[in-house]
Amino acid sequence: DVKVTQSSRYLVKRTGEKVFLECVQDMDHENMFWYRQDPGLGLRLIYFSYDVKMKEKGDIPEGYSVSREKKERFSLILESASTNQTSMYLCASSPLTATTEAFFGQGTRLTVV
Amino acid sequence: AQSVTQPDIHITVSEGASLELRCNYSYGATPYLFWYVQSPGQGLQLLLKYFSGDTLVQGIKGFEAEFKRSQSSFNLRKPSVHWSDAAEYFCAVGAPGTYKYIFGTGTRLKVLA
């Protein structure tokens, strides 16, 4: 069964902290994504990666960075967390281009206080 | 520019009633179309997808969707809604030759007993 696993369901962090959100997929997919989900705004793409060590900015990359050292793992990094980064973060993976469906993790709800 | 519009932010139906969720897209060529469902606090699960062929596609949980090129629409339907269908529904477009998916802002479905 296809699986995308995010390391935490809920996180509470303080303003200014460096935050790591981890995502692992077991499907040998080339592509991995990080989305941010906010009410009324839908899913907004932060970063995506189409290969190991390869990454591209999405629509809202400011304040975030990513790391993909291994094919199965894609990390989202908040260099200095701020309250406006309080949100639901969703990781996804897909095997090919956007002509095939993406598979999503269960999400991480991050609260920055 | 590619875009996806879900005009209904909230929809409320009674259990057993029929359901139609609207999705309109803007894309220059034949798009790859997806419907996802998100239960509270969870990630997104694929309901169905359209790539080509028969314009009426069947998905999981008794859902179907119809692709209408002339109207640039891909509306999701279910003949009889169950209380467990209460969730948020997202329409998405995948662009051939790219890695990115464009998501609508979602429609939140409430089901009355």
Side-chain angles (χ1 to χ4, degrees):
Chain A
D1 204 14
V2 164
K3 200 140 188 189
V4 178
T5 303
Q6 295 182 228
S7 55
S8 303
R9 292 294 302 275
Y10 301 94
L11 275 179
V12 180
K13 297 292 182 181
R14 295 194 179 276
T15 301
E17 274 193 79
K18 191 169 185 175
V19 181
F20 293 85
L21 303 184
E22 307 285 348
C23 176
V24 176
Q25 52 100 356
D26 64 0
M27 298 164 282
D28 201 36
H29 285 171
E30 275 67 35
N31 307 322
M32 297 188 75
F33 308 82
W34 276 107
Y35 290 90
R36 173 176 170 159
Q37 182 181 13
D38 299 288
L41 298 178
L43 276 68
R44 294 180 291 168
L45 182 63
I46 305 171
Y47 268 96
F48 70 100
S49 168
Y50 52 90
D51 200 352
V52 175
K53 298 189 187 290
M54 305 302 288
K55 60 188 180 186
E56 284 197 23
K57 294 179 180 179
D59 302 315
I60 53 164
E62 297 78 18
Y64 303 95
S65 62
V66 291
S67 173
R68 193 169 181 200
E69 297 295 319
K70 293 185 177 181
K71 190 175 185 180
E72 67 270 18
R73 187 178 297 270
F74 192 36
S75 303
L76 179 70
I77 303 157
L78 286 66
E79 296 290 343
S80 178
S82 64
T83 55
N84 62 14
Q85 292 178 310
T86 291
S87 187
M88 173 73 120
Y89 291 87
L90 293 167
C91 175
S93 72
S94 71
L96 294 169
T97 65
T99 55
T100 57
E101 68 265 34
F103 296 85
F104 284 82
Q106 76 277 28
T108 296
R109 184 162 296 282
L110 172 67
T111 302
V112 182
V113 298
Chain B
Q2 300 154 17
S3 66
V4 176
T5 302
Q6 293 181 249
D8 304 305
I9 299 173
H10 298 278
I11 282 186
T12 300
V13 299
S14 297
E15 192 170 18
S18 63
L19 173 70
E20 182 169 33
L21 302 182
R22 295 183 290 165
C23 173
N24 293 97
Y25 65 90
S26 173
Y27 184 68
T30 300
Y32 290 70
L33 296 159
F34 309 89
W35 273 101
Y36 287 87
V37 60
Q38 184 183 33
S39 298
Q42 301 296 316
L44 275 68
Q45 180 185 19
L46 181 73
L47 282 175
L48 48 78
K49 59 190 177 187
Y50 173 77
F51 294 161
S52 64
D54 192 346
T55 56
L56 184 64
V57 293
Q58 302 298 319
I60 62 170
K61 303 177 188 274
F63 284 92
E64 65 179 27
E66 186 171 13
F67 170 63
K68 292 186 177 179
R69 185 189 303 276
S70 61
Q71 298 177 20
S72 297
S73 69
F74 188 55
N75 294 347
L76 182 70
R77 302 194 294 244
K78 187 169 184 178
S80 178
V81 169
H82 188 263
W83 64 266
S84 60
D85 294 324
E88 190 155 23
Y89 293 80
F90 291 93
C91 182
V93 167
T98 78
Y99 301 102
K100 292 175 65 173
Y101 303 86
I102 310 298
F103 284 86
T105 51
T107 297
R108 186 169 295 278
L109 174 66
K110 182 177 179 180
V111 180
L112 300 176

